[in-house]
Amino acid sequence: MTQDAQEWDEPMATTRVHQGVPATYRGTDTDRDILSPETQPSTLFHGHPGRTTSPAVQHIFVDWVGLEDEPASLAVGYCPPTIEGGRSGPVVPGLAEISEDEYLLRKQRIEKRGALASPGQIR
């Protein structure tokens, strides 16, 4: 059973950023960085699952499920805010960490429903 979306919506700690960590998108739903009209889902939505592929804290990349060949995965990065002294802040506001089980559940829902799934059905 999936956890309530609120429980998975805490910003990811910078100490937890490693390659392959399951994560979700914490921003508002957008199709800005999805170029192919055939891509499904056609939106990067709040709660969208993915895995970190480049854990450099200055520019963290995430391979979003279903958007692997889109700029949303290949060109858009996330980073913590800079704090006093120019160091990275303690969290990455645009990402939340999720469990492997939750990642697999959300991934399966996207793959199963494809174009028929609305973002609300996948969370």
Side-chain angles (χ1 to χ4, degrees):
M1 174 182 250
T2 185
Q3 297 268 357
D4 186 323
Q6 291 294 339
E7 293 180 38
W8 297 113
D9 204 32
E10 295 296 318
M12 181 182 279
T14 55
T15 58
R16 298 289 303 151
V17 176
H18 304 286
Q19 186 166 353
V21 172
T24 64
Y25 175 66
R26 293 187 69 240
T28 57
D29 298 0
T30 182
D31 63 357
R32 187 189 79 196
D33 298 305
I34 301 168
L35 303 180
S36 174
E38 291 84 33
T39 296
Q40 292 300 323
S42 60
T43 303
L44 178 63
F45 56 85
H46 187 93
H48 200 117
R51 274 191 200 281
T52 56
T53 56
S54 176
V57 176
Q58 302 87 342
H59 203 71
I60 302 159
F61 286 105
V62 179
D63 206 5
W64 300 113
V65 172
L67 308 176
E68 293 84 351
D69 297 324
E70 294 291 338
S73 291
L74 303 171
V76 177
Y78 301 84
C79 62
T82 302
I83 59 173
E84 189 176 321
R87 294 184 307 275
S88 295
V91 296
V92 182
L95 302 175
E97 184 176 3
I98 58 174
S99 70
E100 183 69 23
D101 288 343
E102 184 67 15
Y103 168 82
L104 292 172
L105 178 64
R106 293 181 189 206
K107 180 178 189 266
Q108 181 181 41
R109 287 178 179 169
I110 288 172
E111 291 171 345
K112 182 178 178 184
R113 293 189 177 116
L116 302 177
S118 71
Q121 295 174 308
I122 295 173
R123 290 187 201 119

